[in-house]
Amino acid sequence: MSQKQLKEAFISNLNGTSLLEISAGLSLPPLCLLCRGLLLVLYYLHRGKPVSSRTYSLLLDFLVLVSPLVFACTVLSPIIFFIPVILAAFCAAIFSKIYSQTKREARAPLGQIVKEFQKACLDPECIPAITVFRVYVNVLTSISILAVDFPQYPRQYAKAETYGTGAMDLGVGAFIFGNALVCPEVRQKPHRTQPRFSSLARQVFSVWPLIALGVGRLLSVKSIEYHEHTSEYGVHWNFFFTLALVRLAASLLLAIFPKHKAWLVALAVAVLYQLLLSTTSLKMFILHGSDGRGSRLGFLNANREGLFSLFGYLAIYLASVQVGLWLLQRRSSARGWLEALGGLALAVLALWVLLQLCQASTEPVSRRMANLPFCTWVLAQCLLLLGFFVLTDLSLVFTKLLVKGCSVPCCWKVVQPPDSRKKQGMEAEPVGRQDKLSQPCLISAINKNQLLFFLLANVMTGAVNILIDTIHSKAAFTLCILHVYMFFNCLIMYILHARNVVLKFW
């Protein structure tokens, strides 16, 4: 077999992993974020000032926010269920140290701090959990697209061939979910009245970079005979085309139907698509082609997975728009977000139950077809991860109230209502650019240029695969390559962020 055939075989015919293992892995990013925040609070407590050095800030962020994920999906994957326990214990130890030190300094009693926390007004203009969710989906995807070509990346984490739940299968759906959370239909102010098809017109213009990237990827992959998993999207199709068309189709539907009924449209699309899969020959066509033997003759045959999975991804996008609208409802206090956290937990539980019923009555999860169980699974996992991030932010807000004056980048700021005075000694933290400038942050850096980060990761992945025999690499070499690759990508984003450069001109 040629090197191209070896690499294609290495990532093909896989069956995914368990739902519990993926959920355990999803707990790692929030725990890393919590650990980073607690370390910054502890530093402020001892030094009386935040970390101001850009070099130290970048190193801390990379070592705490990124590096543990590289280890978790490679050499530490056999103990994936123990890693969250270890991280949680470490975070608890840091919090205990912070609390004991503030108690010695005769600060406010814990009961008063709990009351302050419940009444704390959080900056309504920014929900950090959404930003962190989108950034971490990008980071995890960037790690996985290169790590999957190394033997240290567990095969069960890679994309499943037909049925199954691999970690990379979730990444595709999570990208759709994250994009929908910040789409124009969600961000549009409720009191503003705009022409019905204005969002559609903006989307038509804004997706051209995705179309261009899709064409560029297609031409580059074919010209250098790069290895590809044909049953993933087809011969000519790729995820950039999927993302572009889903955004356009969703904008068209949301221009016709009220956006606050997006979940109903999503349900209708997903159920009708599943009925077609279950009652017609569509499923056999997607899996085996028009001749039943995997034919790739003709455009529809060649790209059947990419074209028909659009219906499933469209359903995920529309449901995610509903989630985005719900998240942006004005909540005046931390207590409101604690109640919202309870709502997220109920939604996740309901989706898990629905997933079991769907799989029992129809078929298992299939990313290849983007069937109803796949849509349900993606929404459940994404809401679970989003809930973890909201819980992390609220935990850091509580910790900041213990240590007056400290701040954590990409975490909710405690603000005073415009029509109230200070209550019970609770101090308002600086709001605006001051916090961002004084405390550099890798998450903010990646968030500013997310599409560039993803594109750079794809280019670097291709370069590494061309230059290195990844399949036969040793563990130490693999870890070295993955860390250098991720640090380079993060460093570029960090430099652009420091210079306030946003490479977006559409």
Side-chain angles (χ1 to χ4, degrees):
M1 295 176 71
S2 67
Q3 188 74 4
K4 178 176 183 289
Q5 290 171 323
L6 279 173
K7 290 192 173 184
E8 286 176 351
F10 192 57
I11 58 175
S12 301
N13 302 312
L14 303 171
N15 299 314
T17 185
S18 67
L19 301 179
L20 185 60
E21 187 168 5
I22 292 179
S23 298
L26 288 181
S27 67
L28 296 180
L31 285 169
C32 290
L33 188 69
L34 179 61
C35 181
R36 191 279 300 257
L38 292 174
L39 286 173
L40 290 175
V41 173
L42 186 62
Y43 180 90
Y44 180 89
L45 192 60
H46 283 285
R47 297 294 183 92
K49 61 179 181 179
V51 178
S52 56
S53 169
R54 293 191 182 277
T55 303
Y56 291 154
S57 177
L58 173 60
L59 289 175
L60 175 66
D61 282 2
F62 184 80
L63 290 175
V64 180
L65 300 179
V66 178
S67 186
L69 304 180
V70 175
F71 279 99
C73 70
T74 51
V75 295
L76 296 184
S77 58
I79 58 167
I80 189 66
F81 291 103
F82 295 100
I83 301 175
V85 177
I86 295 169
L87 280 174
F90 185 64
C91 290
I94 300 173
F95 178 81
S96 177
K97 188 172 180 61
I98 292 171
Y99 178 69
S100 61
Q101 186 154 343
T102 54
K103 192 175 181 181
R104 283 199 305 270
E105 295 175 3
R107 294 294 176 91
L110 183 61
Q112 183 182 340
I113 295 171
V114 170
K115 289 180 180 178
E116 285 185 2
F117 167 70
Q118 291 178 339
K119 296 177 181 178
C121 294
L122 306 178
D123 185 2
E125 300 302 320
C126 177
I127 303 173
I130 295 177
T131 299
V132 176
F133 176 92
R134 299 181 72 242
V135 167
Y136 257 116
V137 167
N138 234 321
V139 169
L140 290 168
T141 303
S142 299
I143 293 172
S144 296
I145 60 175
L146 178 56
V148 71
D149 295 315
F150 290 90
Q152 288 74 24
Y153 189 85
R155 294 302 88 194
Q156 70 266 25
Y157 290 1
K159 290 178 180 175
E161 186 69 27
T162 301
Y163 295 107
T165 52
M168 293 186 71
D169 293 315
L170 176 61
V172 179
F175 239 104
I176 297 287
F177 183 92
N179 271 269
L181 290 180
V182 295
C183 70
E185 290 82 4
V186 172
R187 288 184 282 111
Q188 180 183 336
K189 301 295 183 183
H191 59 274
R192 291 184 182 176
T193 55
Q194 294 184 345
R196 205 169 190 183
F197 290 89
S198 61
S199 292
L200 178 61
R202 287 198 302 272
Q203 289 285 42
V204 169
F205 180 67
S206 67
V207 300
W208 75 260
L210 296 173
I211 301 292
L213 289 173
V215 172
R217 177 178 170 79
L218 171 64
L219 295 176
S220 60
V221 165
K222 300 300 180 184
S223 63
I224 63 175
E225 294 189 351
Y226 190 75
H227 67 277
E228 53 184 332
H229 193 184
T230 305
S231 65
E232 187 178 342
Y233 294 107
V235 178
H236 313 103
W237 204 261
N238 58 58
F239 184 62
F240 291 112
F241 293 142
T242 293
L243 189 56
L245 289 186
V246 164
R247 287 173 60 174
L248 287 177
S251 292
L252 176 60
L253 287 174
L254 292 174
I256 299 172
F257 300 99
K259 63 182 182 180
H260 63 274
K261 300 291 184 182
W263 70 276
L264 284 175
V265 184
L267 184 62
V269 171
V271 170
L272 288 174
Y273 176 53
Q274 183 61 52
L275 285 174
L276 287 174
L277 289 173
S278 301
T279 60
T280 69
S281 59
L282 179 60
K283 183 196 300 185
M284 295 303 295
F285 173 73
I286 295 174
L287 297 180
H288 305 294
S290 57
D291 62 353
R293 291 178 294 180
S295 170
R296 293 289 173 181
L297 296 176
F299 181 79
L300 187 60
N301 256 318
N303 303 286
R304 54 185 183 266
E305 293 91 349
L307 291 169
F308 285 101
S309 64
L310 286 171
F311 293 103
Y313 291 125
L314 176 60
I316 293 172
Y317 190 98
L318 290 168
S320 307
V321 167
Q322 190 75 60
V323 174
L325 292 170
W326 178 77
L327 286 172
L328 288 181
Q329 290 177 7
R330 209 166 187 85
R331 294 174 178 86
S332 59
S333 65
R335 185 194 294 273
W337 278 104
L338 287 171
E339 293 171 358
L341 198 57
L344 281 174
L346 288 175
V348 170
L349 181 61
L351 286 168
W352 280 124
V353 173
L354 181 61
L355 174 59
Q356 300 306 318
L357 293 175
C358 286
Q359 291 194 110
S361 59
T362 57
E363 58 187 345
V365 172
S366 173
R367 182 261 322 148
R368 186 173 178 180
M369 292 181 282
N371 56 7
L372 179 59
F374 174 77
C375 298
T376 308
W377 173 61
V378 166
L379 290 171
Q381 295 283 27
C382 288
L383 288 177
L384 179 65
L385 181 57
L386 194 61
F388 282 159
F389 282 129
V390 171
L391 180 60
T392 298
D393 276 334
L394 291 173
S395 301
L396 290 175
V397 168
F398 182 81
T399 308
K400 289 194 297 181
L401 288 175
L402 287 174
V403 185
K404 301 290 187 181
C406 74
S407 60
V408 176
C410 282
C411 172
W412 259 314
K413 297 177 181 68
V414 180
V415 297
Q416 289 294 331
D419 57 344
S420 68
R421 298 180 179 181
K422 292 184 178 181
K423 298 179 181 179
Q424 301 178 7
M426 187 172 66
E427 298 175 5
E429 291 185 7
V431 178
R433 305 183 104 186
Q434 181 181 352
D435 182 61
K436 294 181 181 179
L437 293 174
S438 61
Q439 284 186 279
C441 177
L442 181 58
I443 293 173
S444 299
I446 297 174
N447 183 53
K448 265 193 172 182
N449 288 286
Q450 288 206 49
L451 185 57
L452 177 64
F453 182 81
F454 184 59
L455 178 60
L456 184 61
N458 275 269
V459 172
M460 289 287 292
T461 296
V464 170
N465 271 282
I466 291 171
L467 297 173
I468 294 173
D469 179 13
T470 55
I471 296 179
H472 301 101
S473 297
K474 302 296 183 183
F477 182 71
T478 298
L479 288 172
C480 181
I481 291 296
L482 289 175
H483 276 87
V484 170
Y485 152 81
M486 285 304 298
F487 186 78
F488 177 78
N489 291 346
C490 292
L491 179 62
I492 296 298
M493 298 303 107
Y494 208 76
I495 292 172
L496 292 175
H497 179 56
R499 298 183 179 182
N500 202 28
V501 176
V502 181
L503 295 180
K504 185 175 180 180
F505 46 86
W506 57 88

